[in-house]
């Protein structure tokens, strides 16, 4: 059984701080990694994807991948109240489909 | 913009009823997926399809079947609904198998 693990939270950070969201996965054959954001009552939407070891930056968001440690993270700089949502880590292995973690709830207080 | 449309936002059904959840996408995507989302359990994959008339079981296919007769349409079928199938059902599509998923708005099913 392929597993994707995330701390459920809630993770609470003050406005302007850095939020760090973490994810581990069990299958070493996993090839690509995604972070989705889901607001309450809404469907998930893609924030970032990463395929290679290292960092990938997009605006206030940075995804980090370490395949040796089977670890993916998402950093949100200058956190805003509008970033309050559940963040879902998803992992893809060839021949299957995206497998999601249970999500981490982020709360940014103003 | 990609649009994934799920036919019903809210459904209430009785135990034992046959339930159809319909999903249509308008971007000619090859791949379509059905997930269910439950509090504390996250998104779980029920079935997916990489091509017309093709289907693959996900992690929790028991009690469900699917149909993909046309590229744009992927239907989830509950042959005999049970109370433990009360859930939010999310349909998604993607151009590539490992690409971005575009989700529909979801269908919240309650089985009484």
């Amino acid at each position: 059984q392929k597993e994707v693990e995330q701390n459920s939270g809630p993770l609470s950070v003050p406005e302007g701080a850095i939020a760090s969201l973490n994810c581990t996965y069990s299958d070493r054959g996993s090839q690509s990694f995604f972070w989705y954001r889901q607001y309450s009552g809404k469907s998930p939407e893609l924030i970032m994807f990463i395929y290679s070891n290292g960092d990938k930056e997009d605006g206030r968001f940075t995804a980090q991948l370490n395949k040796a440690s089977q670890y993916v993270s998402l950093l949100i700089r200058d956190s805003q109240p509008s970033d309050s949502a559940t963040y879902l880590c998803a992992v893809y292995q060839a021949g299957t489909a995206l497998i999601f973690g249970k999500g981490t709830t982020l709360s940014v207080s103003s | 913009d990609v649009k994934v449309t799920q036919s019903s936002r809210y459904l209430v059904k009785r135990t034992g009823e046959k339930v159809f959840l319909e999903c249509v996408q308008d971007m000619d995507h090859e791949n379509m997926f059905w997930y269910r989302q439950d509090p504390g359990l996250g998104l779980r994959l029920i079935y997916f399809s990489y091509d017309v008339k093709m289907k693959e079981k996900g992690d929790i296919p028991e009690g469900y079947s699917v149909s993909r007769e046309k590229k744009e349409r992927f239907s989830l079928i509950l042959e005999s609904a049970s109370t433990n199938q009360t859930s939010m059902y999310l349909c998604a599509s993607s151009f590539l198998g490992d690409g971005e998923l575009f989700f529909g708005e979801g269908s919240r099913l309650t089985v009484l």
Side-chain angles (χ1 to χ4, degrees), chain A residues 34 36 38 43 92 96 98 102, chain B residues 35 37 40 50 97-98 101 104:
Chain A
F34 300 79
Y36 283 79
Q38 187 175 25
S43 297
Y92 175 79
T96 64
L98 282 190
K102 294 179 181 179
Chain B
Y35 292 86
Q37 187 171 32
Y50 286 143
D98 65 342
L101 292 185

Side-chain angles (χ1 to χ4, degrees), chain A residues 23-28 53 65-72:
Chain A
C23 172
T24 59
Y25 59 95
S26 62
D27 196 324
R28 286 195 173 273
N53 277 330
L65 174 61
N66 183 325
K67 288 187 177 180
S69 300
Q70 296 175 241
Y71 178 88
V72 194

Side-chain angles (χ1 to χ4, degrees), chain A:
Chain A
Q1 180 76 18
K2 299 176 288 293
E3 293 184 349
V4 179
E5 300 286 344
Q6 297 180 253
N7 288 327
S8 61
L11 174 66
S12 297
V13 301
E15 184 175 358
I18 295 175
S20 178
L21 303 160
N22 304 313
C23 172
T24 59
Y25 59 95
S26 62
D27 196 324
R28 286 195 173 273
S30 299
Q31 299 178 323
S32 48
F33 308 86
F34 300 79
W35 283 100
Y36 283 79
R37 178 177 62 201
Q38 187 175 25
Y39 291 115
S40 180
K42 300 293 185 182
S43 297
E45 55 181 348
L46 182 69
I47 300 175
M48 293 192 70
F49 60 88
I50 186 167
Y51 299 138
S52 303
N53 277 330
D55 295 359
K56 179 181 178 181
E57 187 175 317
D58 184 2
R60 296 187 296 113
F61 299 94
T62 298
Q64 299 174 317
L65 174 61
N66 183 325
K67 288 187 177 180
S69 300
Q70 296 175 241
Y71 178 88
V72 194
S73 66
L74 179 70
L75 300 178
I76 306 175
R77 291 181 298 282
D78 188 24
S79 295
Q80 301 297 310
S82 59
D83 294 326
S84 298
T86 296
Y87 289 81
L88 304 171
C89 174
V91 173
Y92 175 79
Q93 185 188 27
T96 64
L98 282 190
I99 303 301
F100 286 82
K102 294 179 181 179
T104 299
T105 300
L106 172 66
S107 177
V108 181
S109 56
S110 57

